[in-house]
Every structure is written in C-alpha cells, then in structure tokens.
Amino acid sequence: MSNKPSKPIMLFDCKTSQNVIGQDKFLNAFKAILNHGAYCQGPETKELDDKLAAFSGTKYCSTCGSGTDALTLALMAWDVKPGDAVFVSSFTFVASAEAPVLLGATPIFVDSDPNTFNMDPKDLQRAIDEVKKEGKLNLKAVIPVDIFGSPCDYDEIIKIAHANGMKVLSDSCQSYGSIYKGKRSCSIADMSATSFYPTKPLGCYGDGGAVFTNNNEENELVKSCRVHGMSPADHYDNVRLGITGRLNSFQGAVLLQKLTVFEQELKERVRVAKRYDNELDSYFGKQKVLDNCQSAYGLYTIYCEDRDELMAYLKDNGIPCGAYYPRPVNTQTAYTKWNTRSLPVCEKLSKTVLSIPMTPYLDNEDLDYIIQTMNTFAASKKSKAA
Ligand SMILES: *Cc1c(COP(=O)(O)O)cnc(C)c1O
C-alpha cells in the first residue's frame, strides 16, 4: 500500500506554474504595465489576441473580461434577442445558459450522452423538432459545451444546427487546448468562447476570457460590444448596446507567461489522465473522449452509484474531490421557468459523477496514493456485492 504523500494533494493547482515559469517574469511584466499605464486592453492583451488566434488556428481572437462575457459577446454579435430559441447543454456550469437568458432569449435545455457527458445530438434533434412544432420561437443558435475539457460531437451538432438555419457557439470554457479531429479547441464551431478563470486549463490570476471566429464582421461586432457598442470610427458614438467586457493588461501579461508552459502542461494532464484511465478499477465509469480527439482535462471525472459515500471516503483520506455538477442547470431555481423537457441522463449524471484531482503537477507518489485509495474502495464494494 502506498503511503499518503507528505504534501497536500490538490484538486486544482493554480500556483505551481509560477515556480516553473519564475515569479520574477510575472513581476517584471507587471512593472512594465505600471510604467506604461495602459491598464485595460493594453499592449499585452493585443499581443495575447494574436498568440491565442495562432495557437487555436483561427483568424481572430478577442480577449475579454470572462468566459461569461465571451459567451454573451458572441451571442450579441449574432443579435440574439427575445423570441429566439437557444439550445444549450444542461449538464454544465450555469453560465452556458445564463448568457442567452441575459439577452432575453429562451434556453432550450438538451440532454447529454451518458458516455461523453456532452450534448447528445439525437436529443438536440428532438428538441429542435419540439420547438418547430410549437412554432413560437425563432431557431437561433446551439451552445454545446466541452464538459471537463472533452470535445463534443461537433460534426453531428454542426450538421443538425446548420440544417435548421442555426449557428453553433462552442462553450470551450473548460477545454482550451483540447483537440477535435486534428483541430484545436475554439477553431471548430462558427464561434467559440473560452474562460481564463484560474482553475481552467489556461488560467490567469483573476477573471478573463476570449471569443474566437474566422469571420471578420463577427469579430468587429464582438470588439464593439466589448466596449459598450462603440463605433470604430467615432468613439463617442455608441451604435449598439454593449457591455464593459475588456480584459485588463495584468491578466493579459499573466496569460502571456502561462502560454509559455501551456503545451507542456497539457501533456502533463494527459499523462495524469492516462494513469487514471489505465489503473482505476472498472468499478468507476470514466468519461469517454471521442475517437481522434484529445481532452484538455479541465477536470478528470468518473461516475459510480455510491458517489456521495466515495466523496466522503476520499475526503477522509486527504484526497480533495468535487461533484460537478450536483444539479443540471434546468433544475436550478432561477431556471425552473425553462425546465420544460425531461433530461434523464443529466439527472443521472448529477447524482453519480465525481471529479478527482487533475493538475499538471501531480507526481507518481500522489497518483499511486489516489489510485490505490480509490481501488480499495472499489474492492470493498465489489466484495460486499459478491
Ligand atoms: C467557467 C465556465 C464558464 C464561465 O466562465 P467565467 O470566466 O467564470 O465567466 C462558462 N461555461 C463553462 C462550461 C465554464 O466552465
């Protein structure tokens, strides 16, 4: 039996990369900002826009204040408004649905695939047919979410959306750096939104986000909405509604530093995931990553029938873990008005899933201990059942 590591195990690790990169690099970059004085959307954020567009393989990237802003700005560029139906995964963080609701649109919640946990294209088709039959709403957009970093079935979802005259906005807030059939996250759907909240695969030290597109007109609309709907020709003429959606230069500087180790961190996440994939007892169901795809492993998530007991047992043994998400969005209080469809897979997932430590910096001592502790739980359950 391997011993409990002397250092605490973390579910997320937003700090170790500072030592890998060197804190002085951050301090020097902050000092440059103090000196040049462009605190919002300064030279750092412009450099970051170019680097992220290159990393993702898109023509345009516009950084902004958060992942929620990114989703909202993309929908604003498409003029999403009251009377529009926006189809969205329900097994997600609330912001995926919050963005269309803030713009007055009607969210239509879609069930998940039980293996990938992502939007089930068959249920998307069913939901579209239901809305069409009712004939009250305008079919506008689909927001699939790469939950826990694992890419959705984009080919199917895009095919269904486009066949119904809708655009697809990828919520890539948990999946920056993932790969779908040779393409990087944020380069697959019509537009994509990501988040740089500290616990995301590419995290800053505050709030941040970005919108990606290959369409110049959409990108210009995003940039205008990001600063209150400002006209590019006359900064004192606001030609549409917008928000305060700028990224501040300090977060831009953090992300430029974090980008220098990001590919290595993604490799380390894959290393950790492979050990879990191969060594965790088959008592635990594992999130399926689609063929020819790679997850960014924002989280590593398993499922089992006695989730709550496992969670208590792991915490007792010094292994942090979390149930993401214990309530699908359609069942949350602010969203009950739109809880119109039965989503049995989302309901089941919310009762059985558990996310276990996933950071680029878990070493073999940590992993040996986590895997053995979990497998001991599985063995005791299996012997009782036998
Ligand atoms: C984190 C997250 C968001 C929102 O990002 P913020 O930067 O916190 O606004 C949206 N969708 C998903 C799936 C997320 O995980």
Side-chain angles (χ1 to χ4, degrees):
M1 185 75 198
S2 79
N3 292 323
K4 186 161 179 270
S6 51
K7 57 195 182 311
I9 296 172
M10 287 186 284
L11 183 56
F12 303 107
D13 179 354
C14 314
K15 217 172 148 192
T16 301
S17 58
Q18 277 172 33
N19 304 333
V20 174
I21 296 162
Q23 267 202 355
D24 55 317
K25 294 257 178 55
F26 292 95
L27 296 175
N28 288 339
F30 296 161
K31 215 167 163 187
I33 298 169
L34 294 178
N35 287 328
H36 70 53
Y39 304 131
C40 284
Q41 246 173 245
E44 292 77 13
T45 69
K46 292 192 185 77
E47 184 183 341
L48 182 63
D49 287 352
D50 294 342
K51 290 210 160 132
L52 293 173
F55 185 85
S56 284
T58 59
K59 278 198 187 146
Y60 307 102
C61 166
S62 295
T63 48
C64 60
S66 69
T68 308
D69 280 2
L71 290 163
T72 308
L73 288 166
L75 296 176
M76 288 175 105
W78 288 340
D79 193 27
V80 167
K81 55 182 179 294
D84 288 341
V86 175
F87 297 82
V88 58
S89 299
S90 190
F91 187 65
T92 180
F93 180 65
V94 64
S96 316
E98 188 180 27
V101 170
L102 282 172
L103 297 175
T106 301
I108 310 290
F109 290 105
V110 180
D111 210 0
S112 290
D113 175 278
N115 299 308
T116 65
F117 311 165
N118 282 329
M119 181 180 275
D120 175 1
K122 285 193 224 72
D123 195 56
L124 171 63
Q125 184 64 61
R126 273 195 295 273
I128 292 170
D129 293 342
E130 289 162 22
V131 172
K132 269 186 171 168
K133 197 167 161 215
E134 269 217 2
K136 288 190 186 141
L137 297 167
N138 172 40
L139 301 182
K140 187 71 180 192
V142 181
I143 308 180
V145 183
D146 295 339
I147 204 72
F148 309 137
S150 189
C152 306
D153 190 351
Y154 283 104
D155 285 347
E156 278 303 307
I157 291 168
I158 290 172
K159 194 166 75 189
I160 294 168
H162 287 182
N164 287 281
M166 287 191 282
K167 302 232 190 201
V168 177
L169 168 60
S170 163
D171 181 339
S172 305
C173 286
Q174 299 183 1
S175 64
Y176 197 66
S178 66
I179 299 171
Y180 177 80
K181 301 185 182 176
K183 288 182 173 173
R184 277 281 183 198
S185 59
C186 295
S187 71
I188 307 143
D190 297 304
M191 278 208 260
S192 303
T194 197
S195 166
F196 304 122
Y197 185 74
T199 57
K200 311 285 174 161
L202 179 63
C204 57
Y205 300 149
D207 283 304
V211 185
F212 295 80
T213 174
N214 285 319
N215 179 311
N216 179 50
E217 199 182 318
E218 285 173 352
N219 189 52
E220 290 302 316
L221 287 166
V222 165
K223 286 199 297 185
S224 168
C225 291
R226 186 173 63 176
V227 281
H228 308 286
M230 185 171 83
S231 157
D234 176 354
H235 291 186
Y236 294 95
D237 187 19
N238 296 294
V239 292
R240 59 183 63 83
L241 292 179
I243 60 174
T244 309
R246 292 173 293 247
L247 182 68
N248 76 64
S249 305
F250 291 94
Q251 301 308 335
V254 168
L255 288 163
L256 287 173
Q257 290 303 325
K258 295 284 292 284
L259 259 183
T260 64
V261 297
F262 185 50
E263 289 214 55
Q264 186 59 37
E265 289 193 339
L266 286 168
K267 283 190 194 135
E268 301 295 338
R269 288 177 184 274
V270 170
R271 167 185 63 82
V272 171
K274 283 216 168 105
R275 283 212 56 190
Y276 287 149
D277 284 346
N278 296 334
E279 297 175 47
L280 281 178
D281 196 292
S282 62
Y283 184 77
F284 306 112
K286 300 174 186 92
Q287 182 185 20
K288 180 181 158 55
V289 178
L290 293 175
D291 291 346
N292 303 317
C293 293
Q294 188 178 294
S295 176
Y297 294 106
L299 285 164
Y300 190 94
T301 304
I302 57 105
Y303 57 97
C304 69
E305 293 296 331
D306 9 49
R307 187 269 312 275
D308 292 343
E309 194 185 334
L310 173 65
M311 184 154 57
Y313 165 86
L314 291 180
K315 287 187 172 162
D316 279 350
N317 283 285
I319 298 172
C321 53
Y324 301 101
Y325 294 89
R327 297 178 72 140
V329 181
N330 64 298
T331 69
Q332 296 183 27
T333 306
Y335 293 83
T336 45
K337 187 169 147 193
W338 299 287
N339 186 12
T340 52
R341 308 188 62 242
S342 137
L343 308 176
V345 177
C346 288
E347 211 169 288
K348 174 96 196 221
L349 287 172
S350 65
K351 294 191 176 81
T352 54
V353 287
L354 190 67
S355 300
I356 59 176
M358 169 48 81
T359 91
Y361 302 105
L362 288 167
D363 60 21
N364 281 333
E365 189 191 14
D366 299 324
L367 292 169
D368 289 345
Y369 176 71
I370 295 166
I371 291 164
Q372 285 202 22
T373 306
M374 289 185 65
N375 287 350
T376 301
F377 179 90
S380 80
K381 287 288 165 185
K382 291 207 284 200
S383 73
K384 263 180 215 153

